[in-house]
Amino acid sequence: ATANIGVVGLAVMGSNLARNLASREGNTVAVFNRSRSKTDELLEAHPEAEFVPSFSYEDFAASLSKPRTAIIMVKAGRPTDFVIDELVKVFEPGDIIVDGGNALFTDTIRREKAVRETGINYVGMGVSGGEEGALLGPSIMPGGSDEAWATLGPILKSIAAVAEGEPCVTHVGHDGAGHFVKMVHNGIEYADMQLIAEAYDLIRHATGKTPAEIADVFAEWNRGELESYLIEITAEVLRQVDAETGKPLVDIILDQAGAKGTGAWTVQTALDLGVPVSGIAEATFARSLSSHPEQREVSRDLPGPDVSFGVEHLTGEDADNIIEQVRLALYASKIVAYSQGFDEIRAGAKQYDWAIDLGAVSKIFRGGCIIRAQFLNRIAEAYDAEPELPVLLTAPYFVEALGRAQSPWRNIVSLAAAAGIPAPAFSSSLAYYDGLRAERLPAALIQGQRDFFGAHTYRRIDKEGTFHTLWSGDRTEIEAEDTH
Ligand code: NBP
């Protein structure tokens, strides 16, 4: 046994993670892949890394020192179960199996329970940052037991991204907590990307600027409070020219957005938890809408507004002014999206009994991952000041930013509606914000309707108890059993 850590699955993520591990002092990395070719390719391409290759699960286990620690990086779903079954056969109590794939957190809860019965530790671990992150330093979200974290923690700290001197890894909570947080990270990523896309679309329609000119706008924004990886790469994508046609690449790419499912998981889970992540939901649905060409085709001639941007583009100061308004609307909507995402993490922690430190989570999002941004420092500060903060966007810093953005935010949402430009994430964020602020909501009327047709009862603002109006009788009110 010569290796202190192993990786199973040597496709792009696994091989990059293995190289990252091997590049750190003190690590010797055992590697294994189902089909031999990937292992051979990795060894050939990277002779500088001292890997310990194996070609069977038995040899792989024998190559690891105890407690054996192996990170699985295979296709999420059944392949992961298959590899776990094989590792359980060759590992011993006290060893650690880590799943670094994008597992659904409920699968992780199930697997942890089953593996724990063998005495082997099981850790579901979220890894964000794509291929580059895996190689150079991802943001890592491990769940699992404290015992496993004691062995795993130092290894993960050595390979994680570093933000402001701190490694982007924390022990999120037990069993599925890490994969839960990774899931919500991806949901927030969907919302952030959609908001950026809407901002681009609005600027283009309003000013007629070219993608390359709008790239300059995003590059400028990246020097301010919006500074983030996603804003940075947006500028890069908008600047790209298609080699074949000479046109902006963004105009050549088919406008149908794909998805691998983590956004949908975030929304489905939020529905189960009763958490309104409307920004993430709109972003997920916007991708779905884009990917129905047959529906879009038959809808193209539906009536639209008489006036629209594009007839006369704004120029000069007017253009600068609208761009600044879009920037503020984007920032405000982004605050809402992140607030909703952290709300889901809080609700998940409560439901599944995880002790998740939201401040620590926001800190590990500062580097390595796709949503990495300056902004995460503000979130960390908010939770440091008040760990039990019920709504993130009520933290003083965000209140100030939302105050600054008020009229531009409203103006941009109205302009988009008037011009017939879809801005679902911008407008739903504003609606959520106004819903939170409202002194009274029409939910009272809904309770009345529910009581009318289903005797679902209601509570009153002026006294304790549960009530029902005899709608089909003499319409007097009676005290009732609470049936929600
Ligand atoms: P893939 O998701 O494409 O999976 C390919 C790997 O799974 C290969 O090593 C393949 O072995 C192995 N595999 C399969 Br398929 N079935 C297997 C089985 N029954 N037994 C053993 N191995 C099996 O790889 P990836 O894109 O590197 O992603 C790995 C994981 O990381 C996924 O869960 C993914 O969701 C997650 N992730 C990806 C990213 C990203 O940016 N790509 C980011 C974060 C997380 P073979 O060579 O023998 O076919």
Side-chain angles (χ1 to χ4, degrees):
T2 49
N4 66 316
I5 178 88
V7 177
V8 179
L10 301 175
V12 53
M13 288 297 287
S15 55
N16 279 358
L17 200 70
R19 286 172 59 200
N20 185 350
L21 284 161
S23 72
R24 312 291 161 158
E25 193 81 21
N27 286 335
T28 308
V29 186
V31 289
F32 173 76
N33 192 70
R34 176 182 59 175
S35 36
R36 182 180 177 129
S37 57
K38 281 203 183 68
T39 311
D40 290 338
E41 281 163 25
L42 176 66
L43 296 178
E44 207 167 302
H46 297 285
E48 77 287 355
E50 287 175 32
F51 292 123
V52 183
S54 292
F55 300 99
S56 72
Y57 284 100
E58 290 78 10
D59 290 349
F60 176 72
S63 72
L64 285 162
S65 55
K66 295 179 188 176
R68 297 181 187 87
T69 307
I71 302 176
I72 304 172
M73 285 306 264
V74 302
K75 204 175 179 65
R78 291 183 65 84
T80 307
D81 283 311
F82 184 82
V83 175
I84 292 167
D85 288 348
E86 294 300 316
L87 288 178
V88 164
K89 286 183 208 158
V90 293
F91 274 24
E92 294 170 355
D95 290 349
I96 305 165
I97 297 175
V98 185
D99 172 23
N102 266 340
L104 180 59
F105 74 97
T106 45
D107 284 342
T108 303
I109 292 175
R110 166 180 62 78
R111 289 168 180 151
E112 199 272 344
K113 201 161 170 244
V115 173
R116 194 182 342 129
E117 281 173 14
T118 68
I120 297 169
N121 288 293
Y122 185 81
V123 177
M125 177 174 89
V127 179
S128 178
E131 298 174 29
E132 194 184 272
L135 180 62
L136 303 174
S139 173
I140 313 178
M141 295 148 249
S145 67
D146 293 341
E147 184 191 344
W149 172 244
T151 303
L152 206 54
I155 299 173
L156 298 180
K157 282 179 184 165
S158 77
I159 60 162
V162 175
E164 301 184 22
E166 294 175 75
C168 294
V169 55
T170 188
H171 183 206
V172 176
H174 62 254
D175 59 56
H179 275 137
F180 186 94
V181 165
K182 171 69 194 331
M183 172 187 77
V184 177
H185 162 283
N186 284 27
I188 293 173
E189 174 186 314
Y190 274 55
D192 210 341
M193 291 168 71
Q194 175 67 24
L195 288 169
I196 290 172
E198 290 177 17
Y200 148 76
D201 202 34
L202 285 163
I203 292 175
R204 194 158 180 190
H205 278 99
T207 67
K209 282 185 187 291
T210 64
E213 287 167 334
I214 302 174
D216 292 340
V217 171
F218 279 94
E220 176 63 33
W221 287 1
N222 202 39
R223 288 190 277 274
E225 61 196 355
L226 277 171
E227 182 194 339
S228 63
Y229 172 72
L230 283 170
I231 295 278
E232 181 190 328
I233 66 162
T234 298
E236 302 274 332
V237 174
L238 289 175
R239 221 186 296 282
Q240 185 73 8
V241 173
D242 176 46
E244 222 166 286
T245 59
K247 291 185 176 160
L249 181 65
V250 73
D251 287 345
I252 300 298
I253 296 176
L254 189 67
D255 59 344
Q256 296 173 19
K260 278 193 174 167
T262 43
W265 288 350
T266 311
V267 179
Q268 281 159 352
T269 305
L271 289 171
D272 291 340
L273 292 169
V275 181
V277 292
S278 49
I280 300 171
E282 289 295 351
T284 309
F285 287 138
R287 290 195 192 186
S288 314
L289 187 151
S290 77
S291 300
H292 284 289
E294 70 299 343
Q295 293 186 334
R296 291 172 60 190
E297 183 60 37
V298 297
S299 307
R300 203 140 291 153
D301 294 329
L302 287 173
D306 294 334
V307 283
S308 75
F309 287 136
V311 178
E312 237 173 88
H313 287 134
L314 301 171
T315 53
E317 258 180 40
D318 292 339
D320 292 346
N321 181 30
I322 207 84
I323 288 169
E324 176 59 7
Q325 290 193 32
V326 171
R327 187 186 73 79
L328 287 162
L330 173 57
Y331 195 50
S333 305
K334 180 172 164 141
I335 292 171
V336 167
Y338 280 66
S339 185
Q340 292 179 340
F342 275 82
D343 198 17
E344 179 164 354
I345 297 176
R346 226 164 51 91
K350 190 159 178 240
Q351 173 77 18
Y352 294 99
D353 204 15
W354 296 318
I356 300 183
D357 175 343
L358 297 176
V361 167
S362 60
K363 282 185 185 147
I364 66 166
F365 286 166
R366 290 179 304 179
C369 66
I370 306 297
I371 65 169
R372 62 183 182 260
Q374 270 300 316
F375 178 71
L376 269 314
N377 277 318
R378 308 286 86 79
I379 298 181
E381 283 159 19
Y383 285 120
D384 279 351
E386 201 181 335
E388 300 302 323
L389 188 65
V391 185
L392 178 59
L393 57 76
T394 61
Y397 177 88
F398 297 126
V399 172
E400 186 277 327
L402 291 162
R404 245 187 312 132
Q406 275 306 291
S407 62
W409 194 10
R410 292 178 193 285
N411 192 34
I412 290 299
V413 169
S414 333
L415 280 177
I421 296 165
F426 270 29
S427 41
S428 78
S429 304
L430 182 57
Y432 170 87
Y433 177 77
D434 284 333
L436 276 183
R437 288 175 52 249
E439 181 77 31
R440 290 273 298 160
L441 285 169
L445 174 58
I446 297 196
Q447 285 298 79
Q449 293 164 334
R450 294 177 70 236
D451 190 57
F452 189 103
F453 64 69
H456 291 301
T457 75
Y458 51 86
R459 284 178 291 141
R460 298 176 54 103
I461 58 169
D462 54 357
K463 57 183 171 186
E464 289 293 309
T466 304
F467 302 91
H468 169 56
T469 290
L470 299 167
W471 295 104
S472 47
D474 63 2
R475 304 211 163 181
T476 54
E477 183 180 79
I478 57 166
E479 270 212 66
E481 290 271 298
D482 185 359
T483 59
H484 306 293

